[in-house]
Amino acid sequence: MNHLDEKLTFKRGLTLKNRIVIAPMTTKMSFFDGVVTNDEIDYYALRSGEAGAFITAAANVHEGGKGWDGELGVYDDRFIPGLSKLAAAIKKNGTKAILQIFHGGRMTDSKVLQGVQPVAPSAIPAERPNAETPRALEEAEIYDILEGFKKATERAIKAGFDGVEIHGANTYLIQQFFSPHSNRRTDDWGGSLEKRFKFINELVDGVTSVVDRSGVKDFIVGYRFSPEEYEEPGIRLSDTLYLVDRLADKPLDYLHMSSNDYKKVSVSEEFKEKTILTYIKERVGDRVPLIVAGDIRTRKDVETVLETTDLVAVGRAILIDPHWTQKILDDKESLIRTELFHYDREELRISNGVWGFLQMMMPERLK
Ligand SMILES: Cc1cc2nc3c(=O)[nH]c(=O)nc-3n(C[C@H](O)[C@H](O)[C@H](O)COP(=O)(O)O)c2cc1C
């Protein structure tokens, strides 16, 4: 079993001081064009210094991949100065800074894109109210997006981050290529499971080779995935076991399972005996460190999860109590604040947009 205050060294040499990672969480605080704001830097600085690593909010690698207003941008060199300040703010007191890189695909709309139609593997809208029908990407555009991920990685290195996390989870473009719901292509980029993996395969190879060719020391690459979809057809756990099996053989430093509950059991009849996390761990083995997020709130949760994984990722608990990590490490759990009304929104540096989202997601914890 892994201990929460034990160090962990990744394949590419980076060492984390403990096993707690702050989960990627959108702040909705960047300027309209994706440039980092001072408020955003304050938000990160308030929460940094205790956890082993802090994964930033998703940053879009391509102008057409912007998912929402207030999102970080990393699709141009002009973002580097702001991102450098952000990395420096996170890295105080030894917390490592990981930039999450992504493209929203069909999970955006033409309002956010200022009149431009969203793009996706195929012209199939998401199953959500008012979803717009995206335009299917041309092959040249696919290569352009893959290039965007590589350039974003170069920028993360220049800005002083300790790594990037490829956001292959939560229904965004990377997952859309793997999903039989959003990917109905009949060319090399869609169809069989193998072909639906092609985009991810090229993406991971591209990003890892940028890092390894750059000569940067101790810079890591992680990959985040969501294990299941509810759409019909959709990604099932059997697909994800194939995915993690392929990814575990790649030069990645970690795999990160995105979930809202680490104890969740699969929707598939053939995988009901254990939790999804257990099946994933069994398939990955010790080939690559595994992280999971999903309703980890107590020291007991952390210890239970670390029996299976190498690291835990914690989101909402650290939004509500910026010093959650230190209280867990010091075994002072009774001091943890679990209800947002202990604070006001400005003290927590939480934007209006995220505050509203939290009220929707967890009203019982808000006043
Ligand atoms: C306000 C908010 C913003 C989020 N933004 C992102 C994001 O940008 N990228 C991502 O991969 N996950 C995002 N998530 C999901 C979290 O990383 C995490 O998986 C989820 O909140 C479950 O963990 P928790 O129960 O510890 O909060 C977000 C969650 C919240 C609450």
Side-chain angles (χ1 to χ4, degrees):
M1 159 162 170
N2 298 301
H3 290 283
L4 74 163
D5 52 3
E6 221 173 43
K7 289 182 182 168
L8 180 132
T9 301
F10 294 103
K11 285 179 201 150
R12 285 190 177 74
L14 187 77
T15 297
L16 303 193
K17 61 180 178 177
N18 60 50
R19 301 303 177 108
I20 297 170
V21 169
I22 304 184
M25 280 181 294
T26 287
T27 63
K28 299 203 170 185
M29 276 180 169
S30 307
F31 282 118
F32 70 97
D33 61 351
V35 169
V36 174
T37 61
N38 287 337
D39 283 348
E40 197 164 22
I41 288 179
D42 288 348
Y43 163 98
Y44 282 92
L46 177 65
R47 292 171 174 79
S48 204
E50 300 170 6
F54 200 146
I55 305 168
T56 68
N60 57 304
V61 304
H62 200 280
E63 233 175 329
K66 181 174 175 176
W68 50 85
D69 290 326
E71 178 179 288
L72 279 176
V74 60
Y75 59 85
D76 191 276
D77 287 349
R78 72 189 158 84
F79 295 111
I80 296 174
L83 290 170
S84 304
K85 284 192 209 158
L86 180 57
I90 292 176
K91 285 165 78 170
K92 271 191 313 188
N93 298 323
T95 295
K96 303 298 180 188
I98 315 289
L99 183 73
Q100 190 181 56
I101 51 176
F102 105 121
H103 185 299
R106 69 179 183 176
M107 294 302 282
T108 184
D109 58 54
S110 49
K111 234 162 77 193
V112 170
L113 298 179
Q114 304 196 359
V116 176
Q117 186 183 9
V119 291
S122 302
I124 307 284
E127 286 184 6
R128 61 172 182 167
N130 308 316
E132 288 179 24
T133 301
R135 180 175 63 76
L137 286 159
E138 306 278 343
E139 187 163 54
E141 293 176 301
I142 296 178
Y143 281 113
D144 193 40
I145 292 172
L146 288 170
E147 202 50 38
F149 277 97
K150 293 203 281 189
K151 290 256 167 59
T153 304
E154 285 167 4
R155 292 183 190 113
I157 294 170
K158 285 192 183 138
F161 280 92
D162 298 298
V164 288
E165 176 171 281
I166 300 171
H167 190 0
N170 303 357
T171 75
Y172 298 113
L173 184 76
I174 301 173
Q175 182 176 327
Q176 288 163 30
F177 268 97
F178 194 58
S179 166
H181 186 275
S182 40
N183 185 348
R184 314 277 173 109
R185 298 179 76 96
T186 52
D187 60 5
D188 287 351
W189 304 89
S192 63
L193 191 56
E194 173 75 34
K195 285 181 164 181
R196 285 187 276 117
F197 181 67
K198 179 176 166 64
F199 183 81
I200 297 173
N201 196 32
E202 303 222 355
L203 173 57
V204 171
D205 288 352
V207 167
T208 52
S209 63
V210 160
V211 172
D212 295 334
R213 278 201 316 257
S214 75
V216 64
K217 254 185 66 107
D218 298 351
F219 186 96
I220 61 168
V221 183
Y223 188 96
R224 191 167 216 221
F225 64 94
S226 293
E228 291 186 322
E229 289 177 341
Y230 294 95
E231 291 91 349
E232 187 57 61
I235 294 172
R236 296 293 176 262
L237 186 52
S238 55
D239 300 301
T240 301
L241 293 174
Y242 168 89
L243 174 79
V244 295
D245 192 39
R246 295 291 305 266
L247 291 176
D249 283 338
K250 298 241 171 238
L252 286 164
D253 292 278
Y254 69 81
L255 296 180
H256 183 177
M257 182 171 123
S258 176
S259 170
N260 51 18
D261 179 3
Y262 70 88
K263 297 186 238 44
K264 207 179 239 176
V265 172
S266 171
V267 294
S268 300
E269 283 310 317
E270 77 240 61
F271 296 110
K272 292 278 190 204
E273 274 173 25
K274 308 168 199 170
T275 62
I276 294 175
L277 179 62
T278 307
Y279 285 110
I280 298 286
K281 175 62 188 174
E282 283 174 0
R283 186 59 62 98
V284 169
D286 293 325
R287 285 180 284 173
V288 62
L290 185 64
I291 313 182
V292 73
D295 213 25
I296 296 167
R297 299 195 179 274
T298 63
R299 192 177 162 108
K300 183 93 193 63
D301 288 331
V302 175
E303 286 169 351
T304 305
V305 174
L306 287 178
E307 284 170 16
T308 308
T309 69
D310 302 275
L311 294 155
V312 297
V314 180
R316 287 165 296 173
I318 296 176
L319 274 187
I320 298 169
D321 188 337
H323 302 296
W324 182 91
T325 307
Q326 200 57 49
K327 292 172 187 174
I328 290 285
L329 289 169
D330 294 345
D331 215 357
K332 296 208 167 120
E333 209 163 331
S334 61
L335 299 182
I336 291 176
R337 299 185 181 211
T338 54
E339 297 181 56
L340 273 179
F341 67 78
H342 284 297
Y343 298 87
D344 67 34
R345 187 174 69 71
E346 292 194 1
E347 188 189 345
L348 283 175
R349 304 274 194 275
I350 294 178
S351 67
N352 236 331
V354 168
W355 194 261
F357 180 64
L358 290 174
Q359 278 171 319
M360 246 167 37
M361 268 180 94
M362 42 198 300
E364 80 286 2
R365 288 171 198 268
L366 284 153
K367 208 167 91 160

